[in-house]
Amino acid sequence: METPKTYEPQKAEEKWYSHWMEKGYFHSEPDEREAYTVVIPPPNVTGVLHMGHMLNNTIQDVLVRRARMQGKNACWVPGTDHASIATEAKVVQKLRAEGIKKSDLTRDEFLAHAFEWKDKHGGIILEQLKKLGASCDWDRTSFTMDPEYSESVIDVFIDLYKKGRIYRGVRMVNWDPEALTALSDEEVLHKEVNSKLFHVRYKIADSEDQWLTIATTRPETILGDSAICVNPNDVRYANLKGKEAIVPICNRKIPIIFDDYVDMEFGTGCLKVTPAHDTNDYDLGKKFNLETIDILNDNGTLNENGLHYEGQDRFDARKTIEKELDEKGYLIKTEDHINKVGYSERTNAVIEPRLSLQWFVDMKELSAPARDSVMNGDIKFHPEKFKNTYRHWMDNIKDWCISRQLWWGHQIPAWFYGEGNENFVVAKTEEEAIAMACEQAGQSFVKGDLRQDEDVLDTWFSSWVWPISVFNGLTDPENEEIKYYYPTNDLVTAPEIMFFWVARMIIAGHEYLGEIPFKNVYYTGIVRDKLGRKMSKSLGNSPDPIELINKYGADGVRVGVLISSPAGNDLPFDSSQCEQGRNFTNKIWNAHRLVHSWEVQEDLPQPESSKMAIKWFRAKFNQELQSINNSFDKFKISEALMSTYKLVWDDFCSWYLEMIKPGYQHPIDKATLDATILFFEDLLRILQPFTPFVAEELWHSFRDRADGEDIVVAQWPVFNIGKGGAPSETLAQFSAAEEIITNIRNIRKKNNIANKVKVELFVKKNKELDTSFDAVIVKMGNLSQLEYTTEEVENSNSFISDGNEYFVPFGDAIDVEAEKEKMTEELEYTKGFLTSVQRKLQNEKFVGSAPEQVVAIERKKEADALSKIAILEDKIASLN
RNA sequence: GGGGGAUUAGCUCAGUUGGUUUAGAGCACCUGCCUUACAAGCAGGGGGUCACUGGUUCGAAGCCAGUAUUCCCCACCA
């Protein structure tokens, strides 16, 4: 059967992925080998694969597959995150579409719907990862709400509470009026928006007609004002000391206070203070003991303090109150103003600073070891620049608001008793809670008397123990797995979640295992489209990864996303990169087609050119292997890929295979074919992490493999120069030959000499030269002969290489003028070059202070240039 | 407002502690080829004052200072 001309990925991908699964190659159990562990950044359970996942998981897979080949016990733990806000929002939306309101359901009913949703949509993303070739240990798939995982999250809460690290307090929090929950600072995105600055005048109490004017962006909060504040140094307002102002519309009297928090330059220099609706105002309120008047309901509508605006949405109220202020003569003017407004990362609702009772983690002391372990290099960041960002955050760390007013998640294990929410105990179960409450309150409670806190924990409060809890390191701390797999090796994630997740995992690692959770953190960039825009669903500029895989093959897409994405840099993605990847897999495929087309003839002697080609490629392969290993060690994955790409395409296909290729329908000798297959197999090994499917497919094409002899578990090549002399010498000799061949090809092209027409080459030896690759030059240059002479050859195209002159005679008269021009150009260049070299050498300070070796190099450059100039001048003269 | 990066070919990036030709790669581009592995290919080629201005040095893409442009992070400016 004829081998197809192009590689067809679909069949190979299905065949080999299921084969790998059947053989259990991705499954890991602790053993005597060195462990190599990666935990996946768990995607949202209801998520679908996007290009960001694609990049992130391809990198992880490359690392894991290479480690597996290096003989390590590779374990890549997959799983999903319950993603409380995002998932709950989706479930609420789905129910709403069915006409069910969340408020009509009990908590248990809602959770039943949520789990149903999770069972239906959860894990789609994991199936998609298999299409990519991800070599995860699927038997270990975890979910942050698995029973044992949940238990560990609750244990951590209880433990931190007992240690006094968790407290409950009234704070200004970021309130999401759409999701009806508090958010952590990290979940709020600040955007610049065009808004208006309203200048509103307040009458001074007990005055005839004395007014002061404040500037505000939120006139609706006037109803919650409890003071006017001015800077004590502001002479304009010095006369207001001890006075009061009257709030428009509600006509309340409020004090005028003085604090240097107020910027005299901004607006009118008068600040209205609304402690319930602004963080700074809240602080001022505490300082001056002001009344706190909350005018908003939790859904962003005004409450009874909003008087006749009660029930209106805050943004509607802003417009209507503007009208009323204007009609009543309070509004002096409005001006355009740009300010920053916080938006919910999840719902995109405008965040409302709101006072509420929440749970917090005291981060100061907890985070100290985590700061140090990154700064001292125990944990390495790639690229290193992110250390700065990390340090800055850790130095200014604030307490972490961990309660969320949601149902989907881990319910806070606090149990209230008695009236109100003042008295509570923290316990794992209701039984324990009852016992504790009885003791604490000195009265007896029975089942049902206690009310568990309604709130759930922030999602990140569960994911910060991910590297521990996937191995049950908290619920069963002495188990064999946690001891074997932890600390994990490499974490691959996005810089956006450095604080949400990376920093907190490090904190939890120190707190609970006394150890770092991973040794390296590789930060990927953002995937952008051609125009530099972030890929997003709303812009519709993100290609569907699965469609890309169908079109270009998984290997092609893997190469496409890796080819230009150094750590920490954004990836400007275009599907043409996948095309490049696909072309690459096709190139490999066709190389295999060529090798398989050759018939062996046992008694055929090995040509000299093949012998030299093998010697060269062995040296080349080892040189590149070193450089690839080096790139991997530095986490320069795209560099490792590029070296591999060039080694395969340029060195192996374009040079090596052409050098050993027998004539059409001619047989090949056995020694050459055997060596070639070994080379091919070595190339497949280094390709395996990048293009696992085509590598496996071809791995089996060269010989019958015993059960278990698959490339996924083959050995990574070891640096081994073998026989054949010093590699650097061979490489240098080859590049000299390469230069000569390129020159010959150039002459062919300029003179329109067809490739199949043989030409002669004469060499005028001006100095010693190595002839070991002459057979290769003859073959690659398609020469009828290569001869050494002492004379110039008339009527030739000529070139100079390493001080020796080369002539390719050409029957018809050559274009003398063109030759002359070419040589004159070269002469000018060489002279310029010589001048720059001589300038250095004539400088006594250079000769005196530069290292000897550097000076010697310059001297050689000078000598070479001089001899070349002599030759060129000679040639030009002879042409005249 | 504070902090951290970045700036090298049309695009994306390398360039190890300053010294191997007058700076490299991939893609793109130009020219010529359907040469029986591959046109998803082959061969050849063009293209850069290393953002700018000074400084240090025998020597600077690299070190220092300033300027410009740009990205990111943090922060409560109404």
Side-chain angles (χ1 to χ4, degrees):
Chain A
M1 194 186 78
E2 192 148 315
T3 319
K5 270 179 139 179
T6 49
Y7 169 56
E8 291 157 6
Q10 270 75 20
K11 270 186 282 172
E13 286 170 17
E14 273 165 42
K15 176 172 74 178
W16 292 115
Y17 201 86
S18 52
H19 176 73
W20 296 332
M21 290 295 283
E22 271 164 36
K23 302 297 292 181
Y25 291 140
F26 305 155
H27 181 62
S28 167
E29 293 287 338
D31 61 23
E32 70 295 337
R33 288 175 296 167
E34 181 190 340
Y36 174 82
T37 318
V38 171
V39 290
I40 203 170
N44 288 1
V45 66
T46 59
V48 264
L49 200 66
H50 58 60
M51 290 309 292
H53 296 124
M54 208 65 181
L55 172 63
N56 178 275
N57 288 291
T58 303
I59 292 166
Q60 291 176 72
D61 197 42
V62 167
L63 295 173
V64 169
R65 282 176 180 272
R66 176 164 176 269
R68 193 177 286 121
M69 291 181 84
Q70 286 175 315
K72 294 176 190 164
N73 186 350
C75 180
W76 182 12
V77 182
T80 49
D81 189 303
H82 67 283
S84 59
I85 296 185
T87 306
E88 179 151 332
K90 277 187 190 169
V91 175
V92 167
Q93 208 179 350
K94 180 221 165 207
L95 290 175
R96 198 185 297 147
E98 294 168 7
I100 305 170
K101 280 198 285 188
K102 181 187 166 191
S103 51
D104 293 342
L105 299 175
T106 65
R107 186 180 190 115
D108 286 341
E109 284 166 349
F110 178 82
L111 287 178
H113 281 290
F115 273 108
E116 194 185 302
W117 165 276
K118 182 242 161 189
D119 289 339
K120 197 167 160 200
H121 300 274
I124 290 178
I125 196 162
L126 300 182
E127 289 307 310
Q128 292 179 309
L129 284 177
K130 293 178 184 169
K131 292 261 185 296
L132 178 66
S135 62
C136 302
D137 183 352
W138 299 106
D139 297 339
R140 294 180 176 276
T141 305
S142 293
F143 175 52
T144 52
M145 275 170 66
D146 282 340
E148 195 159 357
Y149 197 109
S150 297
E151 192 185 333
S152 72
V153 173
I154 297 305
D155 285 348
V156 167
F157 182 95
I158 295 170
D159 178 69
L160 289 177
Y161 179 75
K162 281 187 188 152
K163 288 174 179 160
R165 301 280 194 212
I166 285 184
Y167 64 92
R168 199 164 169 252
V170 175
R171 288 294 153 92
M172 205 44 115
V173 296
N174 306 296
W175 185 258
D176 180 338
E178 198 163 306
L180 302 180
T181 179
L183 301 177
S184 68
D185 291 343
E186 288 73 24
E187 288 163 310
V188 179
L189 303 173
H190 292 273
K191 291 186 223 165
E192 272 196 350
V193 294
N194 294 315
S195 61
K196 282 185 178 155
L197 195 57
F198 300 88
H199 291 247
V200 180
R201 62 176 194 167
Y202 288 41
K203 194 174 185 191
I204 309 289
D206 308 321
S207 78
E208 274 306 305
D209 195 27
Q210 206 188 344
W211 301 78
L212 57 77
T213 305
I214 58 93
T216 179
T217 52
R218 301 195 53 191
E220 73 280 11
T221 62
I222 281 173
L223 304 170
D225 283 356
S226 31
I228 299 283
C229 187
V230 296
N231 193 298
N233 301 317
D234 198 331
V235 290
R236 292 174 294 178
Y237 302 113
N239 61 337
L240 294 178
K241 206 150 220 156
K243 299 252 170 89
E244 287 180 312
I246 296 170
V247 181
I249 298 176
C250 61
N251 295 319
R252 269 187 295 109
K253 272 192 198 172
I254 54 172
I256 295 168
I257 58 174
F258 293 77
D259 193 277
D260 55 15
Y261 161 72
V262 176
D263 179 355
M264 295 190 282
E265 306 296 315
F266 188 90
T268 60
C270 288
L271 171 75
K272 69 182 212 57
V273 184
T274 320
H277 297 289
D278 185 282
T279 316
N280 299 305
D281 292 11
Y282 176 68
D283 293 339
L284 281 172
K286 270 203 300 197
K287 191 166 166 186
F288 289 89
N289 209 7
L290 300 173
E291 196 184 348
T292 300
I293 305 163
D294 192 336
I295 62 159
L296 291 177
N297 294 312
D298 57 7
N299 64 0
T301 59
L302 273 72
N303 63 18
E304 68 280 6
N305 290 329
L307 307 177
H308 46 287
Y309 295 99
E310 183 175 356
Q312 276 191 31
D313 181 74
R314 53 195 167 140
F315 299 111
D316 297 335
R318 185 172 303 168
K319 287 186 199 123
T320 48
I321 206 165
E322 177 187 355
K323 217 179 201 176
E324 183 177 352
L325 288 168
D326 194 23
E327 282 165 5
K328 296 192 170 162
Y330 293 111
L331 187 62
I332 304 294
K333 64 168 175 179
T334 60
E335 54 188 22
D336 291 332
H337 178 65
I338 294 170
N339 66 338
K340 287 208 171 167
V341 175
Y343 288 84
S344 163
E345 193 195 29
R346 296 296 174 194
T347 65
N348 208 33
V350 172
I351 291 303
E352 197 61 51
R354 187 165 195 255
L355 270 182
S356 64
L357 190 58
Q358 304 285 346
W359 294 90
F360 293 87
V361 181
D362 179 351
M363 297 298 274
K364 203 93 210 146
E365 281 172 53
L366 208 55
S367 63
R371 179 199 187 278
D372 296 344
S373 56
V374 171
M375 296 325 291
N376 68 19
D378 289 347
I379 295 175
K380 291 196 174 56
F381 281 4
H382 306 276
E384 217 175 346
K385 64 177 178 184
F386 287 116
K387 270 171 87 168
N388 287 325
T389 318
Y390 180 84
R391 185 189 55 220
H392 193 254
W393 191 74
M394 290 303 249
D395 286 347
N396 298 289
I397 199 160
K398 293 203 250 151
D399 288 355
W400 175 15
C401 174
I402 52 168
S403 40
R404 296 290 182 276
Q405 289 64 50
L406 302 166
W407 282 347
W408 177 247
H410 305 96
Q411 194 172 356
I412 292 176
W415 305 78
F416 299 100
Y417 59 85
E419 291 293 306
N421 281 350
E422 292 300 310
N423 300 310
F424 64 89
V425 291
V426 167
K428 198 161 178 173
T429 62
E430 187 176 3
E431 288 70 36
E432 273 178 53
I434 289 170
M436 287 170 76
C438 291
E439 199 182 316
Q440 189 171 304
Q443 57 184 112
S444 62
F445 296 106
V446 294
K447 208 166 157 52
D449 284 352
L450 271 50
R451 304 175 308 281
Q452 187 174 1
D453 194 314
E454 289 283 310
D455 293 355
V456 298
L457 291 162
D458 178 13
T459 298
W460 301 103
F461 194 87
S462 63
S463 31
W464 74 331
V465 292
W466 181 251
I468 304 174
S469 293
V470 295
F471 300 115
N472 297 329
L474 289 161
T475 44
D476 183 10
E478 290 306 309
N479 84 74
E480 192 191 355
E481 298 213 327
I482 188 76
K483 286 186 192 163
Y484 182 73
Y485 292 114
Y486 191 98
T488 70
N489 293 68
D490 305 331
L491 178 79
V492 180
T493 191
E496 295 105 278
I497 56 175
M498 187 194 297
F499 309 131
F500 278 124
W501 194 45
V502 180
R504 289 170 183 160
M505 278 193 285
I506 302 173
I507 293 170
H510 279 289
E511 184 69 12
Y512 289 102
L513 294 186
E515 239 183 323
I516 55 174
F518 30 71
K519 293 161 196 145
N520 294 287
V521 183
Y522 180 107
Y523 290 104
T524 61
I526 295 166
V527 184
R528 297 181 181 278
D529 69 6
K530 270 193 278 195
L531 302 172
R533 299 174 305 180
K534 193 171 171 173
M535 283 191 175
S536 72
K537 224 189 262 171
S538 53
L539 275 175
N541 60 347
S542 178
D544 176 1
I546 299 303
E547 274 174 32
L548 288 175
I549 289 175
N550 291 337
K551 191 163 174 199
Y552 300 106
D555 290 335
V557 177
R558 291 165 69 105
V559 170
V561 299
L562 288 182
I563 199 88
S564 67
S565 61
N569 272 34
D570 288 355
L571 165 63
F573 181 82
D574 186 75
S575 58
S576 66
Q577 286 159 241
C578 295
E579 205 176 308
Q580 189 185 352
R582 189 234 7 220
N583 293 354
F584 183 48
T585 56
N586 196 48
K587 186 72 188 177
I588 303 165
W589 175 260
N590 275 292
H592 122 278
R593 224 158 63 91
L594 175 67
V595 173
H596 278 287
S597 72
W598 295 330
E599 295 285 330
V600 181
Q601 190 181 320
E602 297 281 346
D603 57 352
L604 198 67
Q606 185 176 34
E608 176 65 14
S609 54
S610 296
K611 217 177 270 175
M612 291 314 292
I614 290 165
K615 182 177 175 187
W616 164 71
F617 192 75
R618 182 173 291 128
K620 185 71 189 174
F621 179 85
N622 280 288
Q623 183 195 43
E624 290 306 312
L625 175 64
Q626 263 189 318
S627 128
I628 290 164
N629 282 335
N630 203 8
S631 298
F632 270 119
D633 292 344
K634 289 191 285 192
F635 286 86
K636 300 196 168 188
I637 313 290
S638 51
E639 248 175 55
L641 170 60
M642 187 48 74
S643 303
T644 307
Y645 180 93
K646 286 195 283 187
L647 178 63
V648 171
W649 198 313
D650 301 344
D651 298 314
F652 186 67
C653 294
S654 297
W655 285 101
Y656 176 80
L657 288 179
E658 293 298 331
M659 286 190 260
I660 59 142
K661 190 176 178 177
Y664 181 53
Q665 289 190 334
H666 284 65
I668 193 167
D669 67 279
K670 188 158 189 316
T672 302
L673 183 64
D674 287 351
T676 303
I677 289 174
L678 286 173
F679 286 152
F680 211 133
E681 288 172 333
D682 271 347
L683 290 173
L684 292 176
R685 291 174 207 257
I686 57 172
L687 280 164
Q688 196 275 143
F690 297 113
T691 58
F693 294 106
V694 73
E696 192 72 84
E697 179 77 16
L698 300 190
W699 179 253
H700 291 269
S701 78
F702 290 112
R703 56 189 95 223
D704 290 329
R705 307 277 177 188
D707 188 44
E709 276 182 3
D710 292 302
I711 200 166
V712 232
V713 288
Q715 253 200 4
W716 185 255
V718 184
F719 178 78
N720 172 21
I721 203 59
K723 48 196 183 266
S728 58
E729 198 187 349
T730 305
L731 292 170
Q733 288 166 349
F734 177 78
S735 37
E738 197 180 339
E739 190 184 319
I740 293 161
I741 294 162
T742 302
N743 270 299
I744 297 169
R745 285 172 175 170
N746 231 326
I747 288 172
R748 280 181 183 279
K749 166 137 187 176
K750 289 222 168 86
N751 295 288
N752 265 321
I753 306 171
N755 293 326
K756 46 186 140 189
V757 175
K758 284 190 189 297
V759 295
E760 298 170 296
L761 179 71
F762 293 91
V763 187
K764 178 164 171 268
K765 229 166 114 175
N766 296 327
K767 54 187 269 200
E768 269 321 296
L769 90 172
D770 173 81
T771 59
S772 39
F773 279 89
D774 280 5
V776 168
I777 295 171
V778 169
K779 169 143 198 195
M780 299 295 279
N782 198 17
L783 304 179
S784 55
Q785 61 167 335
L786 189 166
E787 231 170 86
Y788 290 86
T789 76
T790 50
E791 300 292 316
E792 296 209 355
V793 181
E794 300 279 312
N795 264 340
S796 304
N797 293 276
S798 65
F799 58 92
I800 302 167
S801 180
D802 194 29
N804 294 302
E805 291 166 74
Y806 294 79
F807 302 90
V808 177
F810 187 45
D812 304 324
I814 57 156
D815 185 341
V816 177
E817 283 310 309
E819 269 302 278
K820 230 164 88 178
E821 202 179 311
K822 193 188 87 186
M823 279 187 237
T824 312
E825 220 170 84
E826 204 175 345
L827 180 64
E828 286 311 308
Y829 175 89
T830 314
K831 278 181 173 169
F833 173 62
L834 178 67
T835 314
S836 86
V837 172
Q838 285 179 333
R839 208 180 295 139
K840 274 192 215 171
L841 286 169
Q842 278 156 9
N843 185 334
E844 281 169 33
K845 283 185 182 166
F846 170 73
V847 181
S849 44
E852 239 176 87
Q853 201 192 339
V854 174
V855 179
I857 289 164
E858 293 301 313
R859 290 214 190 282
K860 182 170 186 309
K861 284 187 205 167
E862 184 189 30
D864 288 352
L866 282 170
S867 81
K868 190 165 184 182
I869 287 168
I871 296 168
L872 282 167
E873 281 175 338
D874 230 37
K875 280 169 153 313
I876 292 168
S878 78
L879 283 173
N880 282 330

